[in-house]
Amino acid sequence: MRIDKVYTKGGDRGQTSLIGGDRVSKAAPRIEAYGTVDEINATLGLVRTALETSAAGDHLIPIIHRVQNELFNLGAELATPDPERRAKLPRVEARHIEQLERDIDELNDALPALKSFVLPGGGAASAAFHLARTVCRRGERLIVALGETEDLGELPVTYLNRLSDALFVFGRWAAMKDGRAEPLWQPATT
């Protein structure tokens, strides 16, 4: 597919097109939801870049690449309000969630037990994972809100919930593989 022009001027008045042709406000909850899924994907691009110089990169880059494709599918699903049209698109499926759970379990088993909350940090790759995790949690909240007014099914929320858990574990694992200490929360004692 070749795109000859990047700009269409179709959104100059604050409207955008959904898959299927419906025009909606760029501030609509559906746009907020799939826009944040796109933002998660962009943060994972930063993660992949950080992983290029990380000892965790060989293992995690293929996982992140897979997840980025799954997020693109989720974005397309959210951009398609018509259930019949949406059913014909690649979608997030239970198998994607199950794979994330296997990824989490594999890496979490190698980590030391947590004795405190982890603060974002622990090296560039770990910090990038924490950023992606927080954007993922926001996306999850926005999809929950959209799901309160439209039937989205349960898989989009479950997928992002599991993904945020995975990003937390991946960040911890990257810090460990890179030999970096994880900053831990030290609650005020006074």
Side-chain angles (χ1 to χ4, degrees):
M1 171 173 83
R2 178 172 162 78
I3 299 173
D4 291 322
K5 286 196 176 212
V6 173
Y7 59 91
T8 64
K9 300 182 183 180
D12 289 354
R13 298 196 180 207
Q15 298 280 306
T16 193
S17 294
L18 298 171
I19 296 176
D22 292 345
R23 301 280 298 166
V24 297
S25 168
K26 289 184 176 186
R30 181 176 293 280
I31 306 305
E32 284 287 333
Y34 79 70
T36 303
V37 169
D38 188 34
E39 189 179 348
I40 300 164
N41 214 332
T43 60
L44 289 178
L46 290 173
V47 166
R48 282 179 64 184
T49 300
L51 285 171
E52 290 172 0
T53 58
S54 168
D58 287 346
H59 188 80
L60 290 176
I61 287 173
I63 294 172
I64 297 310
H65 183 74
R66 182 194 80 224
V67 168
Q68 285 185 289
N69 281 286
E70 292 165 1
L71 286 168
F72 210 89
N73 292 346
L74 178 57
E77 184 177 344
L78 293 170
T80 310
D82 177 45
E84 290 179 24
R85 186 181 296 266
R86 192 168 53 235
K88 296 175 186 174
L89 294 173
R91 303 175 73 173
V92 167
E93 299 174 11
R95 67 185 173 92
H96 299 123
I97 296 163
E98 292 161 3
Q99 182 59 57
L100 283 173
E101 290 171 351
R102 286 190 294 274
D103 295 334
I104 292 167
D105 292 343
E106 174 194 352
L107 299 184
N108 196 52
D109 286 346
L111 293 171
L114 279 176
K115 296 181 173 131
S116 178
F117 288 104
V118 174
L119 300 176
S126 180
F129 273 118
H130 283 288
L131 176 62
R133 174 186 55 78
T134 62
V135 176
C136 188
R137 285 290 188 204
R138 179 166 29 94
E140 182 183 0
R141 292 188 302 270
L142 291 168
I143 291 172
V144 167
L146 180 61
E148 290 174 353
T149 60
E150 300 185 39
D151 183 18
L152 302 175
E154 65 183 42
L155 292 180
V157 171
T158 304
Y159 179 82
L160 288 187
N161 186 36
R162 208 65 78 250
L163 178 58
S164 63
D165 294 337
L167 295 172
F168 176 75
V169 170
F170 297 167
R172 293 194 67 218
W173 196 77
M176 181 187 74
K177 293 297 278 185
D178 289 338
R180 302 292 299 264
E182 292 180 285
L184 299 177
W185 177 48
Q186 298 174 350
T189 56
T190 58

